[in-house]
Amino acid sequence: GDDRPPRHHLADSIVYEIHVRGFTRHPSSQVNNPGTYRGVIEKIPYLKQLGVTAVELLPVTEFDEGDNYRKNPLTGERLVNFWGYHPLSFFAAKSGYSSNQSAGGEQREFKEMVKALHGEGIEVILDVVFNHTGEGDERGRTFSLRGFDNSIYYLLDPETGDYRNYSGCGNTVNCNHPVVRDLIVDALCYWVTEMHVDGFRFDLASILGRGSDGTPLANPPLIERIAAHPVLADVKLIAEAWDAAGLYQVGTFPNFGRWAEWNGQFRDDLRRFVRGDRGIVAKLATRLAGSSDLYQDDGREPYHSINFITCHDGFTLADLVSYRNKHNLANGEYNADGADDNFSANHGAEGETQNQKIRNLRSRQVRNFLTLLFMAHGVPMLLAGDEMGRTQHGNNNAWCHDNEISWIDWEGLKKNADLYDFVRKLITIRREHALLRPRHFEGAERGERRLTWHGAEVNRPDWTESSQSIGMHLQGLAGDGEIYLFAHSGGQPLSIELPAAGSDNPWQLLVDTANPPLMTATGNDGSLLHKRDYQIQEKSVLVLCKKGVAPSGEDTREEGKGITHP
């Protein structure tokens, strides 16, 4: 038909990660076709109202949900492969996600979903798995590649013939063999030309850069070919820049000027700062400013950083502030699976509690995380359900649960309406302030803003190991307004000095996470601050703005004496 891709600039994107089935499978979703592509279509008005620009779908290529032999030891329930990171075909849309079970029905329904999302300006990014297949190791079943030519399609030990397992899933695809490169590129082109998707997030992408002996290549042919392919020229390319064998390439992934990355350092540094760890302020500042230490040295820009606090793999945001430890017994692996280093905190009680003081602090910490995520330079990615307080009850590896642990309970919209409204308005602020969506790093030749750092006193940022607060001041170089963010993770209130503001153009309060609800980004209902100081509460984040002023011959704004880069 007349489907056209929205083609949002990556800097303007807000990514929303969803599992097609889990998004609408719960009865509370109240859709006519739960757990399907059509169910996603039915929720487009919600996505539009929330304000996201792209959905990132967990794997939608065909996989065997029944390849998990374990049972839930707590209930006896048979566990499954819910996430789908065991592909059987790189080309076939998952038939189990289609309400149309006729021959080819899944392909048509997927196309209808993409077209409907495009019609509302929402892009579709696929989480694709080319690093391994669902055939597993020598004990696995033979479906395709092993039968075609085992030695071409997989990395094997030349002496034993055993599978090299850099994926943690039994086998590793020989991605840089010419035949395999053709297969992968053909699959990508198929999803773009036939299915009209707008981008890809590559699971364990560091494997795509390994040679036939497993050695990381300096200029991997596959990654370069994807970056230079004309059919993929306008497609978003996002790498999960690590693998299961310890190759960690965040900031060093061979990108050829095209590839963005899931920024795992953004996740970890923000988690540690909000938790209250000391010695993190300089790292926080770097992450808020687009992670120049990772992306500026090779010619990339802030938008090549995909910023996230949570994703499908790990705690939900509500659980991140409610659990100190993972609780994965229901996975049938004796709580040995899932990450141990979560940088989480329970704030006084493990899991659910009726202690109102603890609940209030947890809610504030959630707001702190969300505010820093959406105010930071780079591309924010939100895990579906975090905007309504979804919990997995401390499970940080829910890959095997096709049940209430993984499904979104839409009753959360009623229970946590204030949180949903908070997220929606944060997105509005980001959309209405270009200063938060820079195309270039500050200080670069084509810089779009002046960025300075402050502490409790203006122009005196505290980079010491004991510091727990930092102020980020953004000033548009073309008179397009100012943003001031102050983050404080200390346990006591702090009196801070604000950058100067004229009486005719005072600071307007947008966010104070200690005093919700959030003020709107426009209009006159935001408090106007005429004083030079502000009492910020413990463990909170403040965001102020000033309206733009037409440039004049003389710049009367305060000189940027702060440190540009920590």
Side-chain angles (χ1 to χ4, degrees), residues 410-478:
W410 291 82
E411 290 297 318
L413 277 178
K414 300 176 183 177
K415 298 175 183 177
N416 300 292
D418 56 339
L419 175 59
Y420 165 75
D421 193 49
F422 187 86
V423 174
R424 191 169 60 85
K425 290 178 178 177
L426 282 175
I427 292 174
T428 298
I429 290 173
R430 185 174 182 86
R431 184 173 63 244
E432 295 184 350
H433 291 273
L435 282 171
L436 300 172
R437 313 187 312 275
R439 301 297 200 265
H440 311 290
F441 278 107
E442 191 274 336
E445 183 179 280
R446 295 174 293 172
E448 301 147 315
R449 68 208 180 286
R450 175 185 295 152
L451 186 157
T452 52
W453 301 102
H454 307 291
E457 298 179 41
V458 167
N459 293 324
R460 298 190 64 180
D462 183 358
W463 305 119
T464 65
E465 287 292 307
S466 61
S467 175
Q468 290 182 287
S469 58
I470 188 67
M472 180 175 75
H473 187 193
L474 301 172
Q475 295 170 281
L477 298 183

Side-chain angles (χ1 to χ4, degrees), residues 261-436:
E261 298 172 9
W262 267 25
N263 191 342
Q265 292 193 39
F266 180 97
R267 172 199 60 203
D268 295 345
D269 290 342
L270 265 72
R271 286 186 177 192
R272 293 183 64 192
F273 174 82
V274 171
R275 186 173 66 173
D277 292 10
R278 296 180 183 271
I280 306 297
V281 164
K283 292 183 178 180
L284 172 70
T286 303
R287 301 297 156 244
L288 292 175
S291 296
S292 60
D293 61 330
L294 302 177
Y295 303 114
Q296 190 172 19
D297 61 346
D298 59 7
R300 285 186 286 178
E301 305 294 354
Y303 55 80
H304 287 111
S305 173
I306 308 300
N307 299 333
F308 65 104
I309 306 296
T310 57
C311 64
H312 67 277
D313 188 2
F315 283 139
T316 66
L317 189 53
D319 288 355
L320 185 64
V321 300
S322 303
Y323 293 89
R324 180 178 297 159
N325 304 305
K326 64 185 182 183
H327 295 265
N328 297 352
L329 284 175
N331 297 356
E333 299 183 55
Y334 307 99
N335 208 40
D337 62 307
D340 294 312
D341 299 325
N342 298 288
F343 305 117
S344 62
N346 63 23
H347 301 290
E350 187 74 353
E352 295 183 10
T353 179
Q354 296 304 311
N355 185 309
Q356 195 58 47
K357 184 177 180 180
I358 294 176
R359 290 161 65 100
N360 291 342
L361 179 55
R362 288 175 177 177
S363 295
R364 183 185 299 186
Q365 292 288 64
V366 165
R367 292 192 294 271
N368 290 337
F369 275 123
L370 291 167
T371 302
L372 294 173
L373 173 65
F374 284 104
M375 298 300 107
H377 297 341
V379 180
M381 184 183 78
L382 181 69
L383 173 64
D386 276 353
E387 75 278 13
M388 57 181 91
R390 188 176 81 87
T391 178
Q392 292 177 171
H393 307 291
N395 193 317
N396 76 346
N397 189 32
W399 72 278
C400 52
H401 292 279
D402 187 4
N403 52 40
E404 287 82 357
I405 292 177
S406 296
W407 301 341
I408 291 180
D409 182 353
W410 291 82
E411 290 297 318
L413 277 178
K414 300 176 183 177
K415 298 175 183 177
N416 300 292
D418 56 339
L419 175 59
Y420 165 75
D421 193 49
F422 187 86
V423 174
R424 191 169 60 85
K425 290 178 178 177
L426 282 175
I427 292 174
T428 298
I429 290 173
R430 185 174 182 86
R431 184 173 63 244
E432 295 184 350
H433 291 273
L435 282 171
L436 300 172

Side-chain angles (χ1 to χ4, degrees), residues 513-531:
T513 59
N515 295 288
L518 176 73
M519 305 302 177
T520 58
T522 58
N524 298 317
D525 52 351
S527 300
L528 300 180
L529 305 180
H530 296 279
K531 295 182 179 181

Side-chain angles (χ1 to χ4, degrees), residues 480-520:
D480 52 357
E482 301 179 34
I483 295 284
Y484 188 62
L485 178 147
F486 198 93
H488 176 51
S489 64
Q492 299 295 327
L494 181 67
S495 179
I496 64 173
E497 181 184 9
L498 301 179
S503 59
D504 59 338
N505 189 18
W507 286 110
Q508 180 183 14
L509 177 64
L510 296 182
V511 182
D512 182 343
T513 59
N515 295 288
L518 176 73
M519 305 302 177
T520 58

Side-chain angles (χ1 to χ4, degrees), residues 153-172:
Y153 286 99
Y154 293 111
L155 296 184
L156 305 176
D157 186 309
E159 296 184 1
T160 66
D162 293 339
Y163 290 92
R164 297 183 186 272
N165 186 15
Y166 301 114
S167 67
C169 298
N171 63 57
T172 304

